Amino acid sequence: MENVLVVGGRRSGIYAAILAKKLGYSVFLTENSINEEVLKNISILKGYAVDYEIGKHSFDIVKNFDFAVLSPGVPLGSEIVLDLEKNAVPFIGETEFAYRSSPATQVVAITGSNGKSTTTSLIGHILKLFDDKTVTGGNLGNPYSELLLEMPNPHFAVLETSCFQLETIRSYQPKVAVFLNIMENHLDRYSTIDEYVSIKKRIFENQSESDFAVLNFDDRVVSDFSKSIKSKAYYYSIFSEVPQGVYLEGDKIYLKEDDLKSLFAEISIIRLRGLHNVSNVLAAIVASHILSVPNEIIIEGIKTFEGLPHRLEEVRTLEGVLFVNDSKSTTPDSTIKALESFDSPIILIAGGSSKNNDFRNLATHFNAKVKKLILLGKTARQIGDAAVREGFGNFIIVDSLENAVKKAREIACNGDVVLMSPACASFDMFNDFEHRGETFKEIVNKL
Ligand code: ADP
């Protein structure tokens, strides 16, 4: 029996350990921190007879293992990983481990800087309509190991695959790899954009000529990947015709294959707001089409997909005022996308904790789009200053989300939109963006 060491006691590590146990390995899990979350996660292990330690890594035992499985949260430069290297213990990531345990499953992997969760969920939703033996998750929702425990050997696995997960793949070979876009966020773990791109590009690393790449034709760096990958490239575009794939022309979506163009559907089938979401939907159409999902099923999937919570989520219309929760927006770019998604006057609630963001570009959109800006959190003043520099002085600063919503309600008239799209992280006032979004919804629903 092979001995496997699982490093990291978050959900990925916990379920990798359980999967390993189920596959017949002797398993030990190590987690060096100890807090409420760890204790909660560790309790999931009960009943699986997995040995573990928390609050420390016992380095002297590392050499006893045949290989290690790392949670995506474990940095490659950390002491435990260096120790594994020193002792020549091979290691792989949780995604790779799960992938190896279900070799017949066709994986659709989705990566990029923005839109991963939305696109992953939509592709998962469509494939599930097509074939019930489909699982959806990865970096979004449930780790692949957990999905495989719930449904062993699915026909399709639709997996949001983050750069952290791609750092530790070896043989991970998606049948379809979808690459959405590259934006300069996530540079906290990588020193240069080139390093970030080269890690993300590993999604294609093990693909062969019989696999597929779905590339955003509107992102030059992404579309150019076709020159350096083995898999067959399909494209999607919201701006121009593509060599092969799906594109938008006016209000119609066209499919182009082997130089034959055909009308796929009207853009009105898409319920999600915003051109960025049209782009995500086109990516999902291409991926599903490649996997031979009939057009009618793809269209049904798009028509019935409501989008994810906290991403331009419509909470309620009250006296003609639409309240929208866009708590997932933690960067100025996301808030720009949100502003561009509405034609009506917007009362924007923004601000939060800083990710060293630069709000200058965001502020250039205020004059055209924003009726009133309501700021809160650590970055309130900074966003206000950026607004003033753009000649927009129509803002107030409040001390709580509750007061922000109250103010917005007072100001808003029939036909306006109250949009909470913070452009910032949430950690100054909330546990995470979900907590912020749920709080917003609660306040709005009590109005
Ligand atoms: P991710 O999982 O990559 O963070 P999400 O689907 O959760 O992506 O979307 C997060 C935010 O990113 C959205 O609220 C939106 O502002 C922005 N976004 C989504 N899709 C795109 C896109 N295709 N291009 C640019 N920005 C996007």
Side-chain angles (χ1 to χ4, degrees), residues 113-118 181 183 276 280 311 328 334 337:
S113 303
N114 283 315
K116 295 182 293 297
S117 305
T118 304
N181 45 47
M183 289 164 205
H276 62 288
N280 297 336
R311 288 119 176 125
K328 179 69 205 281
S334 281
K337 294 276 181 255

Side-chain angles (χ1 to χ4, degrees), residues 275-291:
L275 204 53
H276 62 288
N277 274 325
V278 175
S279 179
N280 297 336
V281 171
L282 298 190
I285 296 173
V286 183
S288 312
H289 175 76
I290 287 169
L291 292 168

